[in-house]
Amino acid sequence: MNDITLKLKSVSGEVYETKKCLSFRFEKEVYTPYSVLSGIFFSDCDVLNISDIEFFIDGKLIHKGFADIIEETESSDGKRVSVSSRGFSSLLLQSELPDGIISSPSLNSLFTSVNLPNITHEDSYLTTNYIYLSPHSSVWDACKMLCLKLHNSHPFISSPNKVSYTFGGNSLSFEPQNIISKGNVLNLKNAVSDVYMRSLTDEGNNFSMHINDGEIRELGIVREKYYAYDAMWAFDSYLGLQTKVNLSMKGIKADFVKYDGFFGEDLNDTVIFDKKQGRINRILVNGTKNGIQTTLWRYYDRYNNRNN
């Protein structure tokens, strides 16, 4: 049986700790820049003064974030506290950078220009010539653009609230007898076949730049998107169009495995099952008083497990 600990921290610095859990759900995903925790616990905390939440499994901190919603209910069996929390790295989506050109950016230099408490990042001095940010671009937009130019890949959040570009070295393997269930997924609901964008000289209904994705068209899907000129992609407008297509295909194919317990894995750790090795792109951990079950997904799309 895994050991569960929830810590609720008040604005005055008090820490309320409980190991009494009725149920919880923890999830993180490679394209989402924060983890999500919800659950019901027994605690005598003062819910009106809680500021942040920490969640541990077997002593490992897997979530640290805001107390988005906390609700207490008193009954004959004690005081139950329902919590809903997003990781602190959700601020990456909510915090903006000034528009314009950032010259010779690295991940390290990018984060010297912002003040985001509780968020860390991979130590990287790798630079590209520049990135351009459109008005109201978020810090996460800048992280994505930099990662694309440096690595032709997508950033992700590892450990609690750490912006990462490169993969970890952890690996786990499952034999058939240790698997509760496994399966495959096809997700076409957002896949785009054609993307159009205006050039600087286009007027009216003219969209001279166009990308057609044969893989989606072959599936019989015609889903078109039209965009105004975006200076963020001035260095390569067609790469911008292709990126929009690629991101519409997030997790288009996937497989998954479910097992009892939780082994402390993180996004882009390696998992082996069905005699195939791949990176973990989504993690879902569900817990009740009867124990914990974990489901791991491997995506097969334009940015994940591309060699499989």
Side-chain angles (χ1 to χ4, degrees):
M1 182 74 73
N2 297 88
D3 178 67
I4 302 299
T5 303
L6 180 76
K7 292 184 179 181
L8 303 163
K9 296 189 175 183
S10 74
V11 293
S12 60
E14 293 177 279
V15 178
Y16 301 89
E17 180 176 319
T18 179
K19 294 180 177 291
K20 298 178 180 179
C21 175
L22 286 177
S23 65
F24 75 87
R25 175 189 172 97
F26 167 79
E27 184 171 9
K28 62 189 307 188
E29 193 261 355
V30 72
Y31 290 108
T32 305
Y34 54 89
S35 57
V36 178
L37 173 71
S38 60
I40 302 174
F41 303 82
F42 285 103
S43 175
D44 291 323
C45 70
D46 179 5
V47 298
L48 298 182
N49 288 301
I50 298 301
S51 59
D52 57 87
I53 289 172
E54 294 181 354
F55 186 64
F56 301 78
I57 299 181
D58 294 334
K60 179 178 181 177
L61 177 63
I62 65 167
H63 176 85
K64 185 175 182 179
F66 297 103
D68 286 328
I69 301 175
I70 301 184
E71 180 179 317
E72 68 175 26
T73 304
E74 290 194 49
S75 61
S76 58
D77 58 355
K79 186 164 74 171
R80 299 182 181 187
V81 176
S82 172
V83 303
S84 177
S85 171
R86 292 165 299 154
F88 286 123
S89 54
S90 60
L91 288 175
L92 295 166
L93 282 176
Q94 300 168 338
S95 301
E96 297 182 355
L97 290 170
D99 61 299
I101 293 175
I102 302 178
S103 299
S104 302
S106 68
L107 192 59
N108 286 0
S109 67
L110 183 65
F111 274 87
T112 61
S113 64
V114 297
N115 180 24
L116 296 175
N118 299 300
I119 299 175
T120 60
H121 60 87
E122 187 175 304
D123 184 22
S124 174
Y125 289 97
L126 286 175
T127 62
T128 186
N129 50 354
Y130 74 93
I131 58 174
Y132 182 89
L133 299 182
S134 301
H136 303 294
S137 292
S138 67
V139 178
W140 187 240
D141 289 330
C143 291
K144 290 193 295 183
M145 178 63 72
L146 184 59
C147 188
L148 180 72
K149 293 191 75 172
L150 289 175
H151 303 288
N152 189 31
S153 63
H154 197 280
F156 62 99
I157 302 300
S158 65
S159 43
N161 308 303
K162 181 180 180 181
V163 178
S164 297
Y165 285 179
T166 57
F167 302 152
N170 296 329
S171 178
L172 64 157
S173 178
F174 294 97
E175 298 300 327
Q177 63 269 24
N178 298 323
I179 294 175
I180 297 174
S181 62
K182 60 182 180 179
N184 297 282
V185 181
L186 177 65
N187 181 357
L188 300 173
K189 66 180 181 180
N190 295 315
V192 173
S193 62
D194 297 79
V195 177
Y196 298 83
M197 186 167 69
R198 284 195 176 98
S199 72
L200 283 172
T201 58
D202 285 335
E203 297 180 355
N205 291 325
N206 293 322
F207 293 81
S208 60
M209 290 182 284
H210 171 223
I211 285 285
N212 173 285
D213 194 276
E215 180 180 350
I216 299 304
R217 283 273 184 170
E218 287 176 1
L219 294 171
I221 295 172
V222 179
R223 188 177 288 133
E224 300 178 336
K225 298 289 184 178
Y226 290 82
Y227 296 91
Y229 176 75
D230 188 348
M232 181 178 286
W233 298 99
F235 70 97
D236 190 338
S237 294
Y238 283 93
L239 177 61
L241 293 178
Q242 188 62 60
T243 300
K244 293 180 186 298
V245 171
N246 293 348
L247 289 175
S248 80
M249 298 169 67
K250 295 185 291 188
I252 188 170
K253 295 179 181 179
D255 56 15
F256 64 88
V257 62
K258 179 187 284 189
Y259 70 92
D260 279 322
F262 176 65
F263 294 150
E265 56 269 35
D266 206 345
L267 292 177
N268 278 310
D269 284 350
T270 298
V271 62
I272 303 169
F273 63 93
D274 275 354
K275 300 180 180 179
K276 186 165 65 175
Q277 175 176 299
R279 297 286 178 177
I280 299 169
N281 303 122
R282 181 185 171 200
I283 301 170
L284 175 63
V285 187
N286 284 301
T288 67
K289 60 183 180 180
N290 297 320
I292 291 176
Q293 291 185 343
T294 300
T295 309
L296 308 175
W297 283 261
R298 301 182 295 204
Y299 292 169
Y300 302 95
D301 59 24
R302 299 290 172 85
Y303 296 116
N304 296 286
N305 295 305
R306 288 177 281 191
N307 296 323
N308 291 316

